[in-house]
Amino acid sequence: MSLLHFEIDATGMDQLVMDLGATEKQVKFALHRALARTATALRTMAARKLKDELALRAINMLRKRLKSLKLRVSGGDGMQLWFGINDMPVSWFKGTPKRGGDGVSFRGQEFKGGFVAKSKFKNRKTIFKREGKGRLHIIEQQLAVSDRAQVVIEDQIFVQTEEIFWKNFQRDLTARVKYKLGEA
């Protein structure tokens, strides 16, 4: 989980509002719509980039675990972006688990007491570990991805947030003024 913050240039917004002759209501609606569209764009970009960076088998696996992005105005002068990525099962990643002396290794991570078996999803090889001393109740092991994902999102995705927001805000506000939406 991480919370990122970026500032909005209020003078640029005020200048655009004055140039277009937009009402306060139009600005408010355009701001909320631009925030929603920016969040959607960032989520899509993050999913595509992380699929390659984490070497996942399919992007839909990542979408299941990428928590929704939320952009909100904080005190009127900036926005905060929250995202969180949970650990993912080994079967979701490209690669083959290797048996070793005390367990199994996968992508440089050792799973002591683990064993290789087929997953119940799409018959992929994965790593399981027994819980307790009995034969049953086995748990599929997971890889931690939040640190790598956070670096990718901060360094490659988040840097584009302001550009995406301004493009969406300007487009929406211009359309609202042109077609006289939300004047009253």
Side-chain angles (χ1 to χ4, degrees), residues 114-126:
F115 61 93
V116 177
K118 287 192 176 182
S119 165
K120 62 181 175 180
F121 301 107
K122 298 189 180 182
N123 281 338
R124 293 191 180 117
K125 285 186 178 181
T126 188

Side-chain angles (χ1 to χ4, degrees), residues 121-137:
F121 301 107
K122 298 189 180 182
N123 281 338
R124 293 191 180 117
K125 285 186 178 181
T126 188
I127 302 171
F128 288 100
K129 200 171 191 180
R130 296 191 196 293
E131 186 176 272
K133 295 187 179 188
R135 179 175 168 257
L136 285 179
H137 202 44

